[in-house]
Amino acid sequence: MSDPAVVLDDLREESEELDVLVRELSEEQWGAPTPAPGWTIAHQIAHLAWTDRAALLAATDPEAFAVETEKALAAPDRFVDEGAEEGAKLPPTELLASWRAGREHLQEALRAVPPGARFPWYGPPMSAPAMATARLMETWAHAQDVADALGAVRAPTARLRHVAWIGVRARDYAYLVRGIPAPTDPFRVELTAPDGEMWAYGPEGAAQTITGPALDFCLLVTQRVHRDDTALVAHGPDAERWLGIAQAFAGPAGAGRAPEGA
């Protein structure tokens, strides 16, 4: 993911696809519950707008972002929900306008970041391509929550490669936030893309492997589906354990989703 223009273009497309889902919603629909406990559709969009503002601050004013990080560290279990709650109180038209403006400001800022430059984040420092990838991952995941709330079915696209990439890259982070030692050996991950292409990560011949649909993997690492409700196949106890805790997002360990029918 070394070319920021490619992933930024894909981020814009991912955001526009979600925009289509919400732009014509009634005020009542904005208040519809989503699979995230306590979060409505308004909370989902407010969270994306809030995180875009945080990313913009990190990319343009690291000192000011450091102040925000201290606030997050002081309330690690509340700061995400509080940010979403504040934005969700806005009238839908105002919230939608805020999200649209914020994501465009972030696009402009990330396109202006010098090659190789890195800036702080809640997890490891980010480059512009990595930040764009993270924003795409979050946008896709929260769009899934919105789609689920509306009963809409989204067609998976090649943009999932960004989600899969960050999911693989974040393997050890899932262990770190749980205080568990990460495996020392890399895994081989082979995913079938929506068009039938194979996306492969990690060395060939690795003892621990994961195979299956890219969509299932992306839903799992964003914790939008339970492990039991995927067609992913793990070979090796470490690989299987990872699929039970995987998370592609920064922050505290997520609780994940319950199995279907539970």
Side-chain angles (χ1 to χ4, degrees), residues 112-232:
V113 172
R118 301 177 73 83
F119 42 86
W121 193 235
Y122 298 108
M126 290 279 201
S127 64
M131 176 60 79
T133 304
R135 298 308 307 128
L136 189 152
M137 176 272 296
E138 268 219 286
T139 301
W140 179 82
H142 289 285
Q144 185 62 47
D145 291 339
V146 172
D148 288 344
L150 296 172
V153 177
R154 300 188 300 160
T157 72
R159 295 190 298 270
L160 284 179
R161 70 189 186 276
H162 303 296
V163 183
W165 178 84
I166 201 171
V168 171
R169 293 271 295 183
R171 186 198 74 167
D172 290 359
Y173 182 77
Y175 291 89
L176 175 66
V177 295
R178 290 166 174 80
I180 305 171
T184 56
D185 295 330
F187 299 164
R188 174 74 169 182
V189 180
E190 297 180 351
L191 304 173
T192 304
D195 64 358
E197 181 185 353
M198 181 66 68
W199 297 338
Y201 311 87
E204 293 185 21
Q208 308 272 334
T209 65
I210 293 164
T211 60
L215 176 59
D216 285 14
F217 181 78
C218 293
L219 288 168
L220 186 67
V221 298
T222 56
Q223 298 192 353
R224 262 57 190 181
V225 70
H226 190 273
R227 164 73 180 104
D228 293 347
D229 297 320
T230 73
L232 298 170

Side-chain angles (χ1 to χ4, degrees), residues 18 22 30 41-50 95-96 99 146:
L18 173 55
V22 301
W30 277 93
I41 290 176
H43 285 83
Q44 299 285 348
I45 300 302
H47 172 69
L48 290 175
W50 177 88
L95 173 57
L96 188 56
W99 174 50
V146 172

